[in-house]
Amino acid sequence: MDYERFFQQGLEDMRGQGNYRVFNDIKRKAGQFPKATDCNHGCDGREVTVWCSNDYLAMGQHPLVLKAMHDAINECGAGAGGTRNIAGTNHYHVLLEQELADLHAKESALLFTSGYVSNWAALTTLASRLPDCAVLSDSMNHASIIEGIRHSRAEKLIFKHNDPEDLNRLLSQLPEERPKIVVFESVYSMDGDIAPLAEICDVAEAHGAMTYLDEVHAVGLYGKRGGGVSEREGVADRLTVIEGTLAKAFGVMGGYIAASNSLCDFIRSHASGFIFTTALPPSIAAGACASIQHLKSSRVERLKQRERVAKVRAGLKAAGIPVMDNPSHIIPVMIGDAVKCKQVCDRLMDEYDIYVQPINYPTVARGTERLRITPSPQHSDEDIDRLVCALQDVLDVRQHTTARATCAA
């Protein structure tokens, strides 16, 4: 077999369909988020404004976080030095797990190297080791959830998106004594919709099912202390497992679960994705601790971000730009064609110094290609006006010719 030809043809097929992914080479400017240096053709100093980052609150630039990371490097060095089981458990990991357990009002928490790994490892372990377990998964769940369930080889039943009635229908078909896990997300990252947490908990409890909630796009952003939608809606105590990330609103990297002592210990003892991987660097854990502690007491970042989100959403709608409505901080601008989506993003970058990444299949379904705009507290009024004007021009929203001309000039 001509292996290289096979690989090349597969890539050409992706390019032809508009689904080939191109990395934009940028350097974020410390202390100047959302500004970055464009390095796609050499780091010549051209400044761009980033509109698609998951660093939702710019905590990856916060002085307290940076200081904590620098201090930890000076104190402990660079890496953790091993797996958590063998020489890699640093005191900063212990402190961070305590902070996370407190954030979600759970007995314990367990760190992983990413949110993807935390979902994959925890769900694989739970669903494979609970005898004859059935997993009920929302139809729009993340790839990490899908892979974790698949790897467990447990029976999977998919319920309609955010539909407690369909979940109830499926659970009613299973024996009451059979182990069951209901897996869903709070904020869905591509459409920005929010699950009816209380109603799903009602159904799960009525059928004796465990609940596993992915809060990766909500932690830090919702709730009085940043505990997510489950904290905001007062249902955290009804959830068996809350899974989250340190790589979005908290601004660093890593994933985690928060649950009972025994459940976290069980995962720690059996999950290959935890046991056989090097621990997060102590500096990452220290930075995450500082970020979580700050957001537990500060509402400044959350309130400013909500105000920026509202301003961007209102500006785009007023300009006639096709925005998907939702109650979250995520603003999808619908394009509906993979090739056009890439062309729009290229023009925004090349002509307006605006960086937005095209979201195409398989991240979203074909025909629903989009831009995914994520305003931060640091985006200025000028940044917002420029984004709206640029999108008017690039998308050719003709009813706003005056604003388009001003932007183009």
Side-chain angles (χ1 to χ4, degrees):
M1 181 178 182
D2 186 342
Y3 298 111
E4 282 300 305
R5 178 60 186 159
F6 175 82
F7 301 142
Q8 291 168 5
Q9 186 59 55
L11 294 171
E12 285 303 315
D13 291 345
M14 291 182 71
R15 289 187 181 96
Q17 296 165 8
N19 294 324
Y20 181 75
R21 298 173 187 231
V22 177
F23 292 165
N24 265 317
D25 183 359
I26 64 171
K27 287 199 301 185
R28 299 197 336 153
K29 292 188 173 184
Q32 298 180 49
F33 184 85
K35 305 304 179 184
T37 300
D38 176 19
C39 297
N40 285 292
H41 306 290
C43 298
D44 58 5
R46 184 171 82 107
E47 185 177 83
V48 297
T49 303
V50 180
W51 276 102
C52 53
S53 174
N54 280 344
D55 188 359
Y56 293 132
L57 299 178
M59 291 303 294
Q61 306 282 319
H62 198 285
L64 290 175
V65 176
L66 300 185
K67 182 180 185 304
M69 295 182 73
H70 283 296
D71 289 348
I73 288 175
N74 292 336
E75 183 181 1
C76 302
T83 66
R84 290 291 300 276
N85 289 316
I86 306 175
T89 293
N90 188 281
H91 187 55
Y92 285 112
H93 298 130
V94 177
L95 294 177
L96 177 53
E97 286 172 341
Q98 292 172 355
E99 285 289 343
L100 290 165
D102 175 76
L103 177 67
H104 295 293
K106 297 294 185 185
E107 291 179 343
S108 189
L110 188 66
L111 281 174
F112 296 84
T113 51
S114 74
Y116 190 105
V117 173
S118 57
N119 270 334
W120 178 84
L123 286 168
T124 295
T125 303
L126 290 171
S128 65
R129 291 188 172 269
L130 285 167
D132 193 30
C133 182
V135 184
L136 296 99
S137 179
D138 188 286
S139 63
M140 296 295 287
N141 274 343
H142 189 263
S144 58
I145 293 173
I146 295 168
E147 285 300 311
I149 298 168
R150 179 182 295 153
H151 192 73
S152 75
R153 300 184 179 179
E155 181 182 4
K156 179 176 72 172
L157 297 90
I158 299 174
F159 62 93
K160 295 177 183 177
H161 181 50
N162 283 345
D163 190 336
E165 290 186 8
D166 194 51
L167 173 62
N168 185 64
R169 178 185 65 82
L170 293 172
L171 281 168
S172 298
Q173 298 171 5
L174 300 175
E176 184 177 346
E177 67 278 5
R178 185 177 180 185
K180 300 171 282 287
I181 308 173
V182 176
V183 187
F184 56 113
E185 301 180 35
S186 55
V187 178
Y188 287 84
S189 63
M190 290 301 130
D191 287 355
D193 54 334
I194 296 178
L197 302 193
E199 291 87 342
I200 290 175
C201 286
D202 289 343
V203 173
E205 289 166 0
H207 294 277
M210 293 173 56
T211 46
Y212 183 108
L213 178 65
D214 178 320
E215 285 259 45
V216 297
H217 291 276
V219 290
L221 297 165
Y222 301 91
K224 185 178 180 180
R225 301 193 308 155
V229 179
S230 57
E231 181 191 34
R232 185 187 72 179
E233 298 186 3
V235 298
D237 62 316
R238 302 176 65 184
L239 295 157
T240 312
V241 180
I242 296 175
E243 185 267 350
T245 185
L246 306 168
K248 294 181 171 60
F250 293 130
V252 286
M253 70 170 292
Y256 66 89
I257 61 169
S260 68
N261 284 328
S262 58
L263 189 150
C264 287
D265 200 13
F266 188 86
I267 300 295
R268 181 188 71 85
S269 301
H270 292 290
S272 62
F274 176 85
I275 295 170
F276 298 108
T277 192
T278 299
L280 287 170
S283 59
I284 296 291
C289 262
S291 183
I292 294 165
Q293 289 168 353
H294 177 75
L295 290 174
K296 281 179 178 178
S297 59
S298 173
R299 299 179 66 224
V300 173
E301 292 81 7
R302 288 191 283 274
L303 292 176
K304 181 64 173 178
Q305 190 223 29
R306 290 170 197 168
E307 184 270 329
R308 298 286 83 186
V309 169
K311 185 174 179 64
V312 172
R313 193 182 296 276
L316 294 174
K317 286 185 175 181
I321 294 165
V323 177
M324 180 184 289
D325 281 323
N326 63 53
S328 77
H329 59 283
I330 295 165
I331 304 178
V333 173
M334 306 308 293
I335 305 298
D337 177 88
V339 173
K340 183 179 179 182
C341 198
K342 177 67 166 60
Q343 291 172 344
V344 167
C345 292
D346 287 347
R347 284 195 62 193
L348 288 173
M349 187 74 158
D350 295 342
E351 299 175 26
Y352 298 97
D353 302 333
I354 289 173
Y355 175 29
V356 181
Q357 191 73 12
I359 306 296
N360 293 340
Y361 178 85
T363 305
V364 296
R366 289 186 175 92
T368 69
E369 292 83 2
R370 68 198 63 183
L371 315 181
R372 180 181 176 275
I373 294 172
T374 51
S376 79
Q378 272 63 41
H379 281 100
S380 67
D381 286 347
E382 181 182 355
D383 291 332
I384 294 172
D385 291 343
R386 184 165 181 79
L387 173 70
V388 173
C389 276
L391 281 169
Q392 283 181 292
D393 193 7
V394 173
L395 296 177
D396 195 22
V397 184
R398 297 182 182 278
Q399 63 266 39
H400 297 276
T401 53
T402 302
R404 236 179 44 244
T406 301
C407 182

